[in-house]
Amino acid sequence: MDAFYHHSCSKIPNGPQHVPDLLLNMKVARFENTSNTFIDRVGQTVEIPRNTWGKNPTPYADDGYAKALWDYRNDSLLLGDDDHTLYVRDVDQTGNNQLLDTWHAITSLEAEYHVKSNKAYLPWNQQLVVECRKLDKRVRHGIKFQDTAFKRETNGIVRYHTGDQMFDESYELTIDQPFDAGLATQAVAFMRDITEDEHSAMNLARMFATPLLEPYKHLTYVLYGDGGNGKGILLGTLASSFPGLAVAVDSQKILGGRRGSGGFDTQQETGKLIGALWAYDEDADTIGIDQLTYLKKISTGDSVTARRIGENAVSFTPKCTFIVATNNPVITTMSAAVARRFAYIRMKDGRKPQEFQPLLDFRQQYGAAPFIMASCKLWENHGENPFDDVSVGSANDVTDLEQSIINAICANGYAPSSMLESLKRYEQRDLLARFGLTRGGVKWIPEQGTSIRILAVKDEVRFAPYRKAYEHDREQLAKQIDDTPDIPQPIEADPVPLPNTMGFNCDFVPAEQKVAKNWKRLTEDKNLDTSLRPNTESYAVVPNKGMAIIDLDKSKDGKTADGWNVLNQEIGKYGSEDFPTTYLVGTPSGGVHAYYALPAELMGTLKNSVHSNGIPVDIRCERKGYVIGPGSHTHNGDYRLLDMPDNQVPVMPPKMAQWLEDNGYVEGCDEKPRTFVSAKRADTSLSSLDELLAEPVGNSKTGTPDMSLIPVGQRNDTMFKWLLGRLLNHPENEANIRIEFYERGRASGLPDSELNTIWNSVQNTISQHRN
C-alpha cells in the first residue's frame, strides 16, 4: 500500500477531480462510529476524506467511487487480459470477511458499488481503467489450482506450474486444491453414469470450464431429460462451490417470455448474469425460435441491458456460459452459425434416488473441483468443439399431427407439406425446426399422375429420436401381431380331474345342456352333497367364496374380439407371472374358462359380470353364477380340460386384479364402454368387393397410405375397408400393410384384440373372393 503514496494519478479529459486526494488519504478508521466511512471487503471501517474548502466539508465523490479506489489500493480491483474489463475480487458471504481467490467482471462502477443515478459520474470508470493499466498485475482468463493453471493462449490450452511467472498471476477462477488426475477420472466416471452416451458425457465434461477456456465466447449447453437424472445435483454443485459465479435464472424471463416479449422482467433477470461465469435454469420451459435472438446474444457475449430495482439500466457484455436443463423442446434454427453455438447433452432418465448417493458423497467431499479438473483436461486434449451428433427430444412428446408427419417420413422418405396447412405460420416454422425438417421441394407421384410439395429431413441428428422410436415401434408391433399363444390342446383323461382336487372350492350341480336349473337352491341345501360330480351328461361348477372363473368368450361371428386374445395382450401371455397357468377348460365354441382363487382385496367385491365395458370376458364368482364343467357333453359339443396347475389353482396376480378393477368388474368401479364390437358397423351392410376396389386406398392427393386418425363410430368399418382395399390391390406388400394397419388402428384407439378380429375377417373375405 505504501507504493501508492508515490503514485501519480492521471488526468483524463472530463475526468473526475480530486482523485489523488481520495486515493491517498483514505485510511482505516480508529473508531467504528466515525462519520464518512464504509466497511471494506475484509470488514474494516474505512474513513473517506472530505473537501474542507468552505464552511461545510463536501465529499470529493460518491462513496461508491471511494470504495472502488480503496479496492484498487488493496489489489482487489484489477484489469483482465483484454486490458479493458475491470475485475473485482470475490469475498465470502459467511461473515468471516475472507478474500477469495476468485474474481468477477463488472459492468460498471455504478452497478458494482451501488452508486445512485443522481450521484453518478461515468468518467470514473475510465479513470479506474487508466489507473489499473499502470499496474503489472492482471486477472488472467483461466483456471488456477494450487499447483497448476490452465490458460487459453493463441495456440490452445497451456498449463502453467508453480515457479512459472504466469502461474503467479491472479486468475478469474482459483481453486484451493492441487490438480488431481485421479479425481478428474472419478468425475468423468460419474458424468458417464448419468448420461445416455459417450458424446453426451464428453459434452457435459466440457461444460464446466467453458466460460474460462473456450477460444471465443459462443457456447450454450442444453441438458435434456426428465427428472431424476442427476442434472440438478451437478448444477447445484457449481452453485454451492462458486456462489455468485454460478447463478440460477428463469430462462423464460431472461429470454423474454413465451413469444420473445421483453420488458422490465427480462432486464431484471438479465442483471443476474453480471459477473457470473455460469447461468443455469434447472427446469426450463420450452425455448422457441422467438427467444433465439436474445439467447444468441448471451451465447456470443453481445451487449445486453439489465436493470435493478431503483437503479438505471446498464449495458454489459455477459461472460457466462448459459445452461438450459429441460425436458421440453429447445427449438433453434438449423443454420450452421446456430449449430456451432449449442452443445447438447442427453441425460439418462429413470434413475432411483439411492443410485445418486455415491455422486452426492463425492460432491460433499470435493465440491465441483474434480469436474472442473476433468473439464480442463478435456479442453486441453480433445480440441475446441463439442460433439454435434447428440440427439435430444422425446418421441413421447408429440401431437397426433406431428406423429402422422413422422410416420409418413419414416415410411416413405417424405410427408406432404399439405399436412401443415392447419397450423399457423410460426407453428409451422417451429415444427420444422424442432424435428429437423425442411420443405423439400416438389415430388412426382406416379400413382396419381401429379406432383406434390413435400417435407423431408434436413437435420438427421434432430430427427433421430423420432426415427428410432418409429423403428422400435414397428419392430415391437411386428413381434406382437402373432405373439398371442395358442390355446392349449385338450388333455385326454378318464375320469377328468375335477377343479376341487386342485384347491378350487366349489359346488357341482346337475345341468341340462348349458342350463343348471335351481343351482342356487341346490348349493344351499345342507342335505345335498355337492362336492361330487353329478351323474349327468352335463353339470355346472359353482365357485364358492374366494373363488372365481374367468369366462373368455369366443367370437360368434368372426368379427368380434376373443376374450383369450384380450387377456393375453392386455395382461400378459398365458403361462406368465401375470396370467399364470391354471385349471383351464375349453368350451365347444372355442372359448376358455380359467379358474383362479381371489386375492383378499377382491373377495366380496368382484362382480358376477357379463361383458363389462363391452369386453368379451365374463366373471363367475363366489356363488353368484356358474359355468359348465369339464367332461360335460352338450348338443353344441364337449367341454374339455385343457390345462392344470402344478399344484393348486393360483391366486389372481396383482396385474390381473388391477385389470379387472380398471375395466369395471369390481364393485364401485364404473364401466367405461370400449369398442369391442363388430369389425363393421352394425347399422351398415358390407360394401361389395367391386365398391371396395373402386375406393381409394391411400391419400388421394399424395398416393401415400392414409394414416389419419379415424373418428369413434367409424373406426371398424373404415379400417375394414381400408385394409381390404390395400391387400387386394397390393398383395405383394402384405407385411408392411399389416404393420401399418395396426399402427393406424392403435392410433385411432382400437385395441389389438379387435384389430386381430378385423385382420382375420379381411383375410377370410379375400380367401372367399379368390375361391
Side-chain angles (χ1 to χ4, degrees), residues 177-232:
Q177 294 182 38
F179 183 84
D180 189 329
L183 286 179
T185 300
Q186 291 183 59
V188 169
F190 280 117
M191 288 186 279
R192 281 183 170 139
D193 181 57
I194 62 176
T195 51
E196 279 286 356
D197 54 78
E198 179 68 9
H199 287 184
S200 288
M202 294 187 74
N203 283 355
L204 178 59
R206 187 180 293 273
M207 179 189 78
F208 289 91
T210 292
L212 299 162
L213 296 183
E214 63 182 333
Y216 58 95
K217 179 159 175 45
H218 67 295
L219 286 176
T220 289
Y221 287 83
V222 177
L223 280 65
Y224 185 87
D226 292 327
N229 52 36
K231 61 180 183 288

Side-chain angles (χ1 to χ4, degrees), residues 463-527:
F463 193 69
Y466 310 100
R467 188 184 297 281
K468 181 179 179 181
Y470 172 86
E471 292 172 351
H472 177 267
D473 288 346
R474 284 174 66 90
E475 291 173 2
Q476 293 302 309
L477 183 55
K479 291 177 183 178
Q480 292 174 11
I481 289 174
D482 292 320
D483 213 21
T484 300
D486 293 334
I487 296 173
Q489 293 298 309
I491 296 173
E492 300 297 336
D494 188 16
V496 175
L498 297 178
N500 60 356
T501 64
M502 296 170 201
F504 190 84
N505 188 8
C506 61
D507 294 299
F508 303 115
V509 296
E512 295 179 8
Q513 299 300 320
K514 293 176 62 177
V515 178
K517 296 180 179 178
N518 302 318
W519 65 270
K520 194 171 185 63
R521 179 180 60 80
L522 294 174
T523 57
E524 294 173 351
D525 189 340
K526 296 181 180 180
N527 298 318

